[in-house]
Amino acid sequence: MGEVIGDLLPLAVGVAISPIPIIAMILMLLSPRARTTGPGFLAGWAGGIVIATTVLVVIANAIGMNSASGEPKTPVSWIELLLGVLVLTLAVRQWTSRPGAGTRAETPSWMRAIDEVTPARAATLGLLLSAVNPKNLIMCVAAGIAIAQGELGVGSEVVAVAVFNVIAACSVAVPVLVYVFDAERMRAPLDDLKAWLERNSTTVMFVLLLVIGFVLLGKGIGGLID
């Protein structure tokens, strides 16, 4: 279990540190409907991660990710190698698409209309940003493989999935829950966090994707060599 959790931690952090949903969450908490759209967005975001991770763990178990000796099968090592390449490709795209010096990234039109979002649409948006986001899906696929390779019992797999999902959802969950209890005190920190993310999100995601990409690449190559 400890080894599986160790493999899941960087993947969960990779999902958690997603600038677009964090900024969307901040904008909702600063909008007139914050007390309904914020929790709605959180429900969709957390629900999407749970659904994607659970489905991928079930698939990984169904197709048998480990050989009889307990070692990863060769196809699994190739999958991890491919995931590593994809994550590194995302890292390069993240870096090359960064705004030029002194300029800010353009705000998507749906973010500019967040003041008009209903709780149901907020939940749908959170679901789409978590479960349909290519980067998140890659992380969830890698998490499903890591859990299946751990050869855990059903109860332990549930715990592993829960740990992954709690960490992955915390970047949205913590601000929303704190806002519910103390809205006024949260406004200034949310403004500061939004401004910081707009300036540094590209660099943060580039470094994080680079690290995760090399970790997956190393695991894939290690499995093929063994």
Side-chain angles (χ1 to χ4, degrees), residues 11-28:
L11 301 172
V13 172
V15 176
I17 304 179
S18 299
I20 290 180
I22 294 176
I23 293 174
M25 174 271 299
I26 292 172
L27 292 175
M28 287 184 190

Side-chain angles (χ1 to χ4, degrees), residues 84-85 87-88 208-221:
V85 172
V87 173
L88 290 176
L208 188 64
L209 291 173
L210 202 64
V211 171
I212 293 174
F214 278 116
V215 168
L216 291 172
L217 207 64
K219 289 187 66 176
I221 293 173

Side-chain angles (χ1 to χ4, degrees), residues 12 58 71 73 101 103 107 128 139 200 223:
V58 171
E71 294 298 323
K73 291 182 178 180
T103 62
T107 303
L128 293 175
M139 302 299 171
N200 302 287

